[in-house]
Amino acid sequence: MTTPESLTFRSDVTVELVKSSASDADVLFAARVSTAGEQSLEELKKDPERSKGLINYLMRDRHGSPFEHNSMTFFISAPIFVFREFMRHRVGWSYNEESGRYRELEPVFYVPGADRKLVQEGRPGKYVFVEGTPAQHEAVTGTLRESYGQAYAAYQKMLAEGVAREVARAALPVGLYSSMYATCNARSLMHFLGLRTQHELAKVPSFPQREIEMVGEKMEAEWAKLMPLTYAAFNANGRVAP
């Protein structure tokens, strides 16, 4: 039986780019096939820097399909409540998440870090989050740790009594960490980032939950290295997905 001392508490997320086939050249040959036909294959051998104006034009005028001819696969570890928001993004995404039916889930739980804003002020649709007091942070940390310990003990008790994993997991909270592989293309990732991150260059304001924004920021950093011209055009045009 796992004791409270053996539970793991985290306030971070893990994002690793495990596989990719993505470059700015992918955008260019896909775009130019409409006018160049088979000659668009020549774009594979050219320096994309020479055609950054075309990439910016495609982004600005929202010709989106050329940005779909690439692929990135990420390994992500985050609290379950992050994944439930994440998987609302369906177009251009593929997911495979670890299963509580087929494996015993590890006792790793989310506790907000000291920099996590805790207090919501304002009405729905027009609110902000502000810093919590030391007492509020202490209450959140203590309450969550206690709750997690009780939930995981109940989970293990049912497993020890022979209850199926798929039934026993019902005792576990959404603060439990899960892991998944998520595969997307640049267009679907841009749509995700437009909704799930806040940025000073964004034309359309977004109000993401901080924990999914943490995931988005790490994915964005990896994508920016793979497709720097596309990334620059995304920012230059208000971070609106084409």
Side-chain angles (χ1 to χ4, degrees), residues 126-152:
K126 193 176 182 180
Y127 58 82
V128 295
F129 283 89
V130 299
E131 302 290 342
T133 65
Q136 287 172 324
H137 277 281
E138 184 177 347
V140 168
T141 299
T143 301
L144 286 177
R145 288 184 177 226
E146 180 181 3
S147 176
Y148 291 151
Q150 293 173 350
Y152 200 77

Side-chain angles (χ1 to χ4, degrees), residues 14-32:
T14 298
V15 176
E16 296 181 16
L17 179 68
V18 297
K19 183 179 179 181
S20 66
S21 175
S23 71
D24 293 314
D26 299 334
V27 180
L28 296 171
F29 77 74
R32 288 200 164 118

Side-chain angles (χ1 to χ4, degrees), residues 57 124 129 134 143 199 229:
Y57 159 75
F129 283 89
T143 301
H199 198 283
L229 300 182

Side-chain angles (χ1 to χ4, degrees), residues 74-214:
F74 298 90
F75 173 81
I76 303 169
S77 176
I80 287 175
F81 66 81
V82 170
F83 287 177
R84 297 304 161 262
E85 283 196 333
F86 205 126
M87 291 176 181
R88 296 183 67 181
H89 296 266
R90 300 179 297 278
V91 178
W93 289 90
S94 297
Y95 303 107
N96 279 92
E97 184 183 356
E98 68 175 279
S99 173
R101 298 183 68 192
Y102 302 123
R103 62 166 299 188
E104 182 175 339
L105 298 172
E106 297 296 321
V108 182
F109 297 94
Y110 175 74
V111 175
D115 59 343
R116 178 41 160 113
K117 296 179 180 179
L118 297 181
V119 180
Q120 179 178 325
E121 294 183 348
R123 57 182 174 79
K126 193 176 182 180
Y127 58 82
V128 295
F129 283 89
V130 299
E131 302 290 342
T133 65
Q136 287 172 324
H137 277 281
E138 184 177 347
V140 168
T141 299
T143 301
L144 286 177
R145 288 184 177 226
E146 180 181 3
S147 176
Y148 291 151
Q150 293 173 350
Y152 200 77
Y155 172 66
Q156 285 208 312
K157 182 176 184 294
M158 285 186 279
L159 293 180
E161 293 177 357
V163 176
R165 288 184 291 266
E166 66 181 46
V167 177
R169 65 177 174 172
L172 296 173
V174 294
L176 182 77
Y177 272 72
S178 187
S179 60
M180 71 172 177
Y181 288 101
T183 299
C184 63
N185 58 57
R187 188 183 192 186
S188 55
L189 180 57
M190 284 186 278
H191 182 260
F192 176 87
L193 295 175
L195 291 173
R196 302 299 182 179
T197 62
Q198 288 185 319
H199 198 283
E200 61 183 5
L201 297 177
K203 287 182 179 177
V204 181
S206 182
F207 306 94
Q209 184 165 342
R210 177 55 189 155
E211 288 75 13
I212 196 169
E213 185 178 36
M214 291 161 58

